[in-house]
Amino acid sequence: MNIQEILLLTISGTAVLMDFLWERVSNALILLSLTSGFVFWTLSHGSAGILYFLPGFLLPIFCFLPLFHFRMIGGGDVKLLSVLGGILGYPKVLGLLLFSFLTGGILSIAFLISTGSLKERISYFFNYFYEYSKTGIEKNYRKKGMEAENFHFTVPIFTGIILFIGGYY
């Protein structure tokens, strides 16, 4: 296992634990991870390392700002994807985004089917956008607290990292 893989596993694993224990990923972890990723690329590629780090870091921010705007994804998840993307670099960050969302979708659907709330959540989703299109009033999509429908997206992110280390992308 190389330094990049150790960083990715440590950061994403710690984020999962924080998310389950405190329902948030701390900014201290994000800042430490951001610094670690930048130092990793700079030490391994010199000043050219910035060209590996920066696109991987920025792509998740630009991709997920709309989801964050409607509070469909947490800010900690976006920041976590960004720092992990910075460590992965471009284009490998694309694999992380793809596998994280595929895994998240599969886990979400399985959870909703097992709890019998799939129809209710689909209805909630469409009603949310219907109300927004009618009124233009933005409200949080997610409910606060340990609600059953509040999905810990750090789990599929961690799974995406495991798939990277396993050589799937």
Side-chain angles (χ1 to χ4, degrees):
M1 190 174 289
N2 62 39
I3 293 172
Q4 182 186 36
E5 292 170 344
I6 291 169
L7 278 172
L8 292 166
L9 270 178
T10 303
I11 293 164
S12 60
T14 303
V16 169
L17 290 174
M18 287 179 165
D19 197 15
F20 274 100
L21 292 173
W22 302 302
E23 291 189 61
R24 62 184 307 271
V25 177
S26 84
N27 285 332
L29 175 67
I30 298 300
L31 186 58
L32 178 64
S33 305
L34 179 66
T35 305
S36 299
F38 184 79
V39 168
F40 166 77
W41 281 110
T42 307
L43 289 177
S44 61
H45 289 83
S47 60
I50 296 169
L51 299 176
Y52 292 96
F53 174 79
L54 209 51
F57 174 75
L58 292 174
L59 185 65
I61 293 172
F62 290 121
C63 288
F64 299 115
L65 274 178
L67 292 176
F68 174 71
H69 177 77
F70 288 104
R71 302 295 187 254
M72 294 177 158
I73 189 170
D77 298 325
V78 176
K79 292 183 276 188
L80 178 63
L81 282 166
S82 291
V83 297
L84 294 173
I87 295 169
L88 282 168
Y90 184 82
K92 291 179 182 173
V93 65
L94 295 172
L96 174 63
L97 300 178
L98 174 70
F99 281 107
S100 295
F101 267 85
L102 283 175
T103 306
I106 291 167
L107 290 173
S108 295
I109 289 172
F111 175 76
L112 292 173
I113 289 171
S114 71
T115 60
S117 57
L118 179 62
K119 184 178 175 184
E120 175 188 332
R121 290 306 295 175
I122 290 172
S123 175
Y124 179 80
F125 178 78
F126 285 111
N127 284 333
Y128 176 86
F129 281 105
Y130 176 76
E131 285 181 35
Y132 175 72
S133 68
K134 285 277 212 193
T135 64
I137 297 172
E138 297 174 14
K139 62 179 184 174
N140 285 345
Y141 181 80
R142 295 178 56 205
K143 298 174 184 172
K144 292 281 186 193
M146 292 294 266
E147 299 289 330
E149 66 268 5
N150 286 352
F151 185 72
H152 294 278
F153 196 65
T154 54
V155 173
I157 294 171
F158 181 72
T159 305
I161 293 299
I162 297 291
L163 291 171
F164 168 74
I165 292 171
Y168 287 94
Y169 64 95

